[in-house]
């Protein structure tokens, strides 16, 4: 059985505090708690399905998301 949900952690808004995130494979959607300026949950949808990855790719102190697609 394929994994359909992954728990994530990162500093989504660059405040220095780690928040919770969830990736749902159905629809390739990320949900980030505390990412919006008012602290609400933000959702981001990707077209490709694959493995969720997160990191501070640009060195700004803010964690961002991506999708790793095998074979690409």
């Amino acid at each position: 059985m394929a994994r359909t949900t992954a728990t994530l952690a990162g500093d989504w808004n660059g405040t220095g505090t780690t928040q919770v995130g969830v990736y749902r494979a159905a629809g390739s959607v990320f949900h980030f708690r505390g990412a919006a300026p008012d602290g609400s949950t933000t959702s981001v949808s990707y077209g490709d399905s694959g493995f969720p990855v997160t990191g501070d790719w640009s060195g700004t102190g803010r964690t961002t998301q991506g999708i790793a697609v095998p074979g690409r």
Side-chain angles (χ1 to χ4, degrees), residues 22-38:
V22 174
Y23 171 76
R24 299 203 186 274
S28 297
V29 180
F30 288 89
H31 302 280
F32 303 107
R33 183 174 181 191
D38 65 357

PDB file of all heavy atoms in Angstrom, residues 22-38:
ATOM      1  N   VAL A  22       1.797  19.118   6.365  1.00  0.00           N
ATOM      2  CA  VAL A  22       1.338  17.807   5.909  1.00  0.00           C
ATOM      3  C   VAL A  22       1.333  17.807   4.391  1.00  0.00           C
ATOM      4  O   VAL A  22       0.959  18.801   3.762  1.00  0.00           O
ATOM      5  CB  VAL A  22      -0.090  17.505   6.428  1.00  0.00           C
ATOM      6  CG1 VAL A  22      -0.634  16.217   5.846  1.00  0.00           C
ATOM      7  CG2 VAL A  22      -0.102  17.450   7.936  1.00  0.00           C
ATOM      8  N   TYR A  23       1.766  16.690   3.799  1.00  0.00           N
ATOM      9  CA  TYR A  23       1.669  16.498   2.358  1.00  0.00           C
ATOM     10  C   TYR A  23       0.677  15.382   2.113  1.00  0.00           C
ATOM     11  O   TYR A  23       0.791  14.304   2.699  1.00  0.00           O
ATOM     12  CB  TYR A  23       3.020  16.130   1.753  1.00  0.00           C
ATOM     13  CG  TYR A  23       2.938  15.717   0.307  1.00  0.00           C
ATOM     14  CD1 TYR A  23       2.759  16.669  -0.683  1.00  0.00           C
ATOM     15  CD2 TYR A  23       3.014  14.384  -0.063  1.00  0.00           C
ATOM     16  CE1 TYR A  23       2.673  16.303  -2.019  1.00  0.00           C
ATOM     17  CE2 TYR A  23       2.934  14.008  -1.389  1.00  0.00           C
ATOM     18  CZ  TYR A  23       2.756  14.970  -2.357  1.00  0.00           C
ATOM     19  OH  TYR A  23       2.666  14.602  -3.679  1.00  0.00           O
ATOM     20  N   ARG A  24      -0.290  15.634   1.261  1.00  0.00           N
ATOM     21  CA  ARG A  24      -1.273  14.606   0.888  1.00  0.00           C
ATOM     22  C   ARG A  24      -1.048  14.248  -0.581  1.00  0.00           C
ATOM     23  O   ARG A  24      -1.142  15.115  -1.456  1.00  0.00           O
ATOM     24  CB  ARG A  24      -2.690  15.102   1.111  1.00  0.00           C
ATOM     25  CG  ARG A  24      -2.955  15.437   2.564  1.00  0.00           C
ATOM     26  CD  ARG A  24      -4.413  15.401   2.912  1.00  0.00           C
ATOM     27  NE  ARG A  24      -4.654  15.849   4.271  1.00  0.00           N
ATOM     28  CZ  ARG A  24      -4.593  15.083   5.345  1.00  0.00           C
ATOM     29  NH1 ARG A  24      -4.306  13.815   5.229  1.00  0.00           N
ATOM     30  NH2 ARG A  24      -4.840  15.572   6.539  1.00  0.00           N
ATOM     31  N   ALA A  25      -0.728  12.979  -0.817  1.00  0.00           N
ATOM     32  CA  ALA A  25      -0.427  12.517  -2.171  1.00  0.00           C
ATOM     33  C   ALA A  25      -1.617  12.691  -3.109  1.00  0.00           C
ATOM     34  O   ALA A  25      -1.432  13.010  -4.288  1.00  0.00           O
ATOM     35  CB  ALA A  25       0.022  11.056  -2.142  1.00  0.00           C
ATOM     36  N   ALA A  26      -2.821  12.517  -2.602  1.00  0.00           N
ATOM     37  CA  ALA A  26      -4.014  12.722  -3.427  1.00  0.00           C
ATOM     38  C   ALA A  26      -4.085  14.203  -3.781  1.00  0.00           C
ATOM     39  O   ALA A  26      -4.319  15.044  -2.925  1.00  0.00           O
ATOM     40  CB  ALA A  26      -5.262  12.289  -2.676  1.00  0.00           C
ATOM     41  N   GLY A  27      -3.808  14.531  -5.015  1.00  0.00           N
ATOM     42  CA  GLY A  27      -3.813  15.916  -5.468  1.00  0.00           C
ATOM     43  C   GLY A  27      -2.484  16.621  -5.318  1.00  0.00           C
ATOM     44  O   GLY A  27      -2.355  17.778  -5.695  1.00  0.00           O
ATOM     45  N   SER A  28      -1.486  15.958  -4.749  1.00  0.00           N
ATOM     46  CA  SER A  28      -0.157  16.553  -4.514  1.00  0.00           C
ATOM     47  C   SER A  28      -0.278  17.900  -3.800  1.00  0.00           C
ATOM     48  O   SER A  28       0.173  18.931  -4.285  1.00  0.00           O
ATOM     49  CB  SER A  28       0.600  16.715  -5.831  1.00  0.00           C
ATOM     50  OG  SER A  28       0.841  15.474  -6.423  1.00  0.00           O
ATOM     51  N   VAL A  29      -0.896  17.903  -2.626  1.00  0.00           N
ATOM     52  CA  VAL A  29      -1.167  19.145  -1.905  1.00  0.00           C
ATOM     53  C   VAL A  29      -0.370  19.192  -0.595  1.00  0.00           C
ATOM     54  O   VAL A  29      -0.360  18.241   0.173  1.00  0.00           O
ATOM     55  CB  VAL A  29      -2.674  19.288  -1.602  1.00  0.00           C
ATOM     56  CG1 VAL A  29      -2.955  20.579  -0.842  1.00  0.00           C
ATOM     57  CG2 VAL A  29      -3.484  19.242  -2.879  1.00  0.00           C
ATOM     58  N   PHE A  30       0.316  20.324  -0.372  1.00  0.00           N
ATOM     59  CA  PHE A  30       0.983  20.616   0.886  1.00  0.00           C
ATOM     60  C   PHE A  30       0.064  21.507   1.718  1.00  0.00           C
ATOM     61  O   PHE A  30      -0.554  22.430   1.186  1.00  0.00           O
ATOM     62  CB  PHE A  30       2.283  21.399   0.642  1.00  0.00           C
ATOM     63  CG  PHE A  30       3.390  20.595   0.034  1.00  0.00           C
ATOM     64  CD1 PHE A  30       3.518  20.499  -1.339  1.00  0.00           C
ATOM     65  CD2 PHE A  30       4.335  19.983   0.834  1.00  0.00           C
ATOM     66  CE1 PHE A  30       4.556  19.794  -1.910  1.00  0.00           C
ATOM     67  CE2 PHE A  30       5.386  19.269   0.274  1.00  0.00           C
ATOM     68  CZ  PHE A  30       5.493  19.173  -1.095  1.00  0.00           C
ATOM     69  N   HIS A  31       0.006  21.260   3.027  1.00  0.00           N
ATOM     70  CA  HIS A  31      -0.733  22.114   3.962  1.00  0.00           C
ATOM     71  C   HIS A  31       0.263  22.539   5.034  1.00  0.00           C
ATOM     72  O   HIS A  31       0.881  21.690   5.675  1.00  0.00           O
ATOM     73  CB  HIS A  31      -1.896  21.360   4.613  1.00  0.00           C
ATOM     74  CG  HIS A  31      -2.871  20.796   3.632  1.00  0.00           C
ATOM     75  ND1 HIS A  31      -3.856  21.551   3.042  1.00  0.00           N
ATOM     76  CD2 HIS A  31      -2.997  19.547   3.130  1.00  0.00           C
ATOM     77  CE1 HIS A  31      -4.562  20.791   2.223  1.00  0.00           C
ATOM     78  NE2 HIS A  31      -4.056  19.563   2.257  1.00  0.00           N
ATOM     79  N   PHE A  32       0.411  23.858   5.236  1.00  0.00           N
ATOM     80  CA  PHE A  32       1.387  24.385   6.181  1.00  0.00           C
ATOM     81  C   PHE A  32       0.692  25.176   7.272  1.00  0.00           C
ATOM     82  O   PHE A  32       0.062  26.199   6.994  1.00  0.00           O
ATOM     83  CB  PHE A  32       2.399  25.279   5.473  1.00  0.00           C
ATOM     84  CG  PHE A  32       3.116  24.591   4.362  1.00  0.00           C
ATOM     85  CD1 PHE A  32       2.829  24.889   3.045  1.00  0.00           C
ATOM     86  CD2 PHE A  32       4.074  23.637   4.632  1.00  0.00           C
ATOM     87  CE1 PHE A  32       3.486  24.255   2.017  1.00  0.00           C
ATOM     88  CE2 PHE A  32       4.733  22.989   3.604  1.00  0.00           C
ATOM     89  CZ  PHE A  32       4.438  23.299   2.299  1.00  0.00           C
ATOM     90  N   ARG A  33       0.832  24.730   8.514  1.00  0.00           N
ATOM     91  CA  ARG A  33       0.238  25.448   9.649  1.00  0.00           C
ATOM     92  C   ARG A  33       1.147  26.611  10.026  1.00  0.00           C
ATOM     93  O   ARG A  33       2.356  26.457  10.176  1.00  0.00           O
ATOM     94  CB  ARG A  33       0.085  24.511  10.831  1.00  0.00           C
ATOM     95  CG  ARG A  33      -0.577  25.181  11.998  1.00  0.00           C
ATOM     96  CD  ARG A  33      -0.848  24.197  13.086  1.00  0.00           C
ATOM     97  NE  ARG A  33      -1.519  24.877  14.182  1.00  0.00           N
ATOM     98  CZ  ARG A  33      -1.705  24.329  15.351  1.00  0.00           C
ATOM     99  NH1 ARG A  33      -1.311  23.106  15.578  1.00  0.00           N
ATOM    100  NH2 ARG A  33      -2.313  25.000  16.296  1.00  0.00           N
ATOM    101  N   GLY A  34       0.563  27.793  10.184  1.00  0.00           N
ATOM    102  CA  GLY A  34       1.308  28.965  10.611  1.00  0.00           C
ATOM    103  C   GLY A  34       2.071  29.668   9.515  1.00  0.00           C
ATOM    104  O   GLY A  34       2.845  30.579   9.782  1.00  0.00           O
ATOM    105  N   ALA A  35       1.889  29.297   8.259  1.00  0.00           N
ATOM    106  CA  ALA A  35       2.653  29.889   7.162  1.00  0.00           C
ATOM    107  C   ALA A  35       2.121  31.253   6.723  1.00  0.00           C
ATOM    108  O   ALA A  35       2.864  32.080   6.221  1.00  0.00           O
ATOM    109  CB  ALA A  35       2.685  28.949   5.969  1.00  0.00           C
ATOM    110  N   ALA A  36       0.847  31.485   6.905  1.00  0.00           N
ATOM    111  CA  ALA A  36       0.248  32.762   6.502  1.00  0.00           C
ATOM    112  C   ALA A  36       0.568  33.835   7.546  1.00  0.00           C
ATOM    113  O   ALA A  36       0.814  33.522   8.711  1.00  0.00           O
ATOM    114  CB  ALA A  36      -1.262  32.604   6.346  1.00  0.00           C
ATOM    115  N   PRO A  37       0.580  35.105   7.152  1.00  0.00           N
ATOM    116  CA  PRO A  37       0.891  36.185   8.096  1.00  0.00           C
ATOM    117  C   PRO A  37       0.013  36.196   9.347  1.00  0.00           C
ATOM    118  O   PRO A  37       0.463  36.569  10.425  1.00  0.00           O
ATOM    119  CB  PRO A  37       0.674  37.458   7.272  1.00  0.00           C
ATOM    120  CG  PRO A  37       0.902  37.036   5.865  1.00  0.00           C
ATOM    121  CD  PRO A  37       0.385  35.621   5.795  1.00  0.00           C
ATOM    122  N   ASP A  38      -1.231  35.750   9.240  1.00  0.00           N
ATOM    123  CA  ASP A  38      -2.128  35.722  10.395  1.00  0.00           C
ATOM    124  C   ASP A  38      -2.037  34.411  11.179  1.00  0.00           C
ATOM    125  O   ASP A  38      -2.786  34.188  12.117  1.00  0.00           O
ATOM    126  CB  ASP A  38      -3.570  35.987   9.972  1.00  0.00           C
ATOM    127  CG  ASP A  38      -4.146  34.892   9.081  1.00  0.00           C
ATOM    128  OD1 ASP A  38      -3.419  33.941   8.724  1.00  0.00           O
ATOM    129  OD2 ASP A  38      -5.330  35.002   8.720  1.00  0.00           O
TER     130      ASP A  38
END
